[in-house]
């Protein structure tokens, strides 16, 4: 899959603050896609890596706060998936080579990882108590 991602209700995890952050992450991914389409010269990937790492980290911390506040049965699995994201991203960051090839690789990774994660384990967060679901940032 490669291209702008449209957030839709099928991606909702049932917790407002988390949905909003997912929308922001999707916007970061779509920005990389547009940059890649528009640029034929070298692409400076450092900002995209920074956003993917930093916003990812910020977002994981938000989700992980919910894990500890509630008796969340998927906690360990979910934590290990967040760790794996950071590890995968780090090995992509260390790769060398043509910036367009690396951008494509980063884009494919981000698209696949976030969509699979949002529609998979993140949706188990919607099973937390109803009071959580209306929380905002
Ligand atoms: Fe998430
Ligand atoms: Fe998550």
């Amino acid at each position: 899959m490669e291209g702008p991602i449209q957030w839709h209700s099928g991606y909702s995890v049932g917790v407002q603050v988390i949905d909003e952050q997912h929308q922001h992450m999707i916007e970061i991914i779509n920005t990389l896609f547009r940059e890649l389409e528009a640029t034929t010269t070298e692409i400076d990937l450092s900002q995209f890596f920074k956003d993917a790492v930093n916003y990812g980290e910020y977002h994981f911390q938000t989700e992980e706060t919910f894990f500890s506040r509630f008796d969340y049965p998927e906690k360990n699995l979910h934590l290990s998936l967040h760790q794996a994201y950071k590890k995968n991203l780090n090995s992509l960051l260390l790769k060398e080579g043509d910036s367009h090839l690396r951008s494509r690789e980063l884009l494919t990774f981000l698209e696949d990882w976030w969509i699979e994660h949002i529609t998979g384990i993140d949706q188990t967060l919607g099973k937390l108590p109803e009071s959580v679901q209306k929380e905002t940032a």
Side-chain angles (χ1 to χ4, degrees), residues 67-117:
F67 301 178
S68 18
R69 279 171 49 204
F70 299 91
D71 192 16
Y72 174 54
E74 308 290 348
K75 180 180 174 180
N76 289 340
L77 172 63
H78 203 151
L79 280 173
S80 71
L81 294 171
H82 288 174
Q83 290 298 336
Y85 170 82
K86 290 181 261 186
K87 227 173 147 188
N88 284 331
L89 209 50
N90 205 40
S91 41
L92 282 179
L93 178 66
L94 295 175
K95 279 194 178 178
E96 288 175 10
D98 177 79
S99 69
H100 275 259
L101 287 177
R102 293 184 66 223
S103 302
R104 249 171 229 295
E105 204 175 359
L106 175 61
L107 184 62
T108 303
F109 168 72
L110 290 176
E111 283 181 338
D112 291 350
W113 194 90
W114 283 96
I115 297 307
E116 192 189 325
H117 192 81

Side-chain angles (χ1 to χ4, degrees), residues 22-34:
H22 285 159
Q23 288 168 32
H24 186 81
M25 193 67 221
I26 286 172
E27 198 39 52
I28 291 171
I29 298 170
N30 287 343
T31 304
L32 174 59
F33 172 80
R34 286 191 290 266

